[in-house]
Amino acid sequence: MNDGLPDKLSYLRDIDIFRDLAPDEVELLGKRAPMQQVASGTVFFSPEEAPEVLFILKEGRVRLYRLSADGKALTTAVLDAGTIFGEMALLGQRLHQSYAEAMGPCLLCLMSREDVKSMLLSDPRIATRIAEILGQRLITAEQRLSDFAFKSLPQRMAGLLLELARPPKPRLFRQVVGPPEVRFTHEALGEMSGTYRETATKILNEFRSLGLIELKRGCVILLDEDGLRALSERAELK
């Protein structure tokens, strides 16, 4: 990977928590924050190896999950580019026995406790944005755990599809207009909703029969977002 400062600076300028900084302030951050590329499917953080580090996610998506005693994965968060996460008591930020997995190719900046204290928390502009991000993540995590406790699998799957939906993937030299897509395999969706691939496939096929979605290889196309939203609040498929 090319870790040249100009590229790093362009990445850091696009991160929301740094948007109020002057160019020279971003440059100082760039000199202290090493960058790392992570391949899709890589588990780059685990309870067995839990250094105090803050990750700044520039590109890609990361799944945070825990494992039950029988090895079943419970997804606690799906993080998009532009956010922060990690294990750092200084920020009240804990991964609590969680694993972090790259859901596609990811580009990360890493910051130590000393750099976070001297370069981030010392700046009220950045500290305020960090507090906003962590507060919103707590709300999202509480909602996800509540869904696991009180919602049925079809409800959880419907809510998950809405959460993961993104605009259609651009084609070469042009933007595609169409319904939103969820570009994950049935196995990945099963893991994120707390079930097995076979059960996830059955539920998705039921959604397709209701006209809510269309299934393509490695992709779910959302045809009826309102219907999925209504379904996510109901206990059973009709």
Side-chain angles (χ1 to χ4, degrees):
M1 178 186 60
N2 178 9
D3 194 30
L5 186 58
D7 289 337
K8 185 185 295 185
L9 294 184
S10 67
Y11 290 139
L12 290 174
R13 287 190 194 103
D14 291 338
I15 299 296
D16 186 60
I17 62 172
F18 303 139
R19 68 187 183 197
D20 294 326
L21 299 187
D24 60 327
E25 294 174 307
V26 176
E27 182 175 349
L28 180 59
L29 276 171
K31 291 178 179 177
R32 300 287 295 274
M35 295 181 66
Q36 177 180 338
Q37 282 186 324
V38 179
S40 179
T42 301
V43 177
F44 59 88
F45 186 96
S46 67
E48 295 79 20
E49 299 178 1
E52 216 177 20
V53 61
L54 183 71
F55 296 102
I56 303 171
L57 179 60
K58 168 51 193 168
E59 293 178 354
R61 273 169 143 184
V62 168
R63 175 172 76 117
L64 303 183
Y65 67 93
R66 304 178 194 176
L67 290 178
S68 66
D70 61 358
K72 183 180 290 187
L74 168 62
T75 298
T76 56
V78 175
L79 308 178
D80 286 307
T83 194
I84 60 173
F85 63 100
E87 181 78 16
M88 192 160 289
L90 191 64
L91 294 177
Q93 179 75 347
R94 298 281 190 180
L95 288 180
H96 296 299
Q97 298 300 307
S98 291
Y99 296 78
E101 177 188 8
M103 302 182 75
C106 290
L107 183 62
L108 301 162
C109 288
L110 284 65
M111 297 197 75
S112 68
R113 174 188 176 92
E114 291 73 22
D115 286 342
V116 168
K117 184 176 181 179
S118 64
M119 302 177 69
L120 301 190
L121 296 185
S122 62
D123 189 316
R125 298 166 298 176
I126 300 177
T128 298
R129 298 200 188 284
I130 289 175
E132 291 171 352
I133 289 172
L134 298 184
Q136 183 57 51
R137 185 167 308 146
L138 179 60
I139 293 171
T140 302
E142 289 178 345
Q143 181 60 55
R144 186 180 289 273
L145 292 174
S146 175
D147 288 350
F148 268 90
F150 300 114
K151 288 189 174 184
S152 66
L153 272 171
Q155 284 180 297
R156 297 206 302 266
M157 183 63 77
L160 180 65
L161 292 176
L162 291 168
E163 177 186 344
L164 297 177
R166 297 294 183 273
K169 190 174 183 179
R171 303 297 188 262
L172 188 62
F173 304 123
R174 67 187 179 90
Q175 181 69 44
V176 177
V177 177
E181 301 175 350
V182 175
R183 293 182 286 275
F184 292 104
T185 65
H186 293 191
E187 181 176 8
L189 291 171
E191 289 180 351
M192 284 186 275
S193 58
T195 190
Y196 299 102
R197 180 185 60 79
E198 294 80 6
T199 305
T201 296
K202 181 182 179 213
I203 293 172
L204 291 171
N205 283 330
E206 290 176 331
F207 287 2
R208 178 173 60 180
S209 70
L210 293 171
L212 299 173
I213 63 173
E214 179 182 345
L215 297 176
K216 291 187 176 180
R217 185 176 180 84
C219 178
V220 180
I221 300 174
L222 276 54
L223 302 178
D224 185 353
E225 292 181 84
D226 290 338
L228 285 169
R229 194 166 291 107
L231 178 58
S232 72
E233 301 301 325
R234 295 206 302 265
E236 301 293 341
L237 286 171
K238 300 298 184 182

